[in-house]
């Protein structure tokens, strides 16, 4: 699963720390997701999408 988190986060001028705080996780969690080392829970995926103003489908690219 590939994400657009880094791209959208930068467009909105948010740091990893800012996004993490808004979603209730650590900066390391955001970093791991951005670097495709961790797949977020469904609840976290929805929180990230909400904070980045997009949908889960647009935020993540699911290989099929």
């Amino acid at each position: 699963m590939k994400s657009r988190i880094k791209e959208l986060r930068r467009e909105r001028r948010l740091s990893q720390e800012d996004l993490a705080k808004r979603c209730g996780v650590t900066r390391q969690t955001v970093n791991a997701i951005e670097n495709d080392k961790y797949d977020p829970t469904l609840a976290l995926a929805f929180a990230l999408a909400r904070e980045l103003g997009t949908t889960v489908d647009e935020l993540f690219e699911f290989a099929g």
Side-chain angles (χ1 to χ4, degrees), residues 36-56:
D36 300 323
K37 301 205 182 291
Y38 176 76
D39 289 337
T41 64
L42 192 54
L44 179 52
F46 276 104
L48 289 164
R50 181 185 64 243
E51 292 300 329
L52 295 170
T54 190
T55 65
V56 172

Side-chain angles (χ1 to χ4, degrees), residues 6-7 14 16-18 22 24-26 30-32 35-37 40 42 44 47 50 53-54 61:
K6 186 184 289 187
E7 169 192 348
L14 291 171
Q16 287 182 342
E17 184 72 28
D18 292 335
R22 290 179 180 204
V25 296
T26 65
V30 172
N31 182 272
N35 290 295
D36 300 323
K37 301 205 182 291
L42 192 54
L44 179 52
R50 181 185 64 243
T54 190
E61 193 175 292

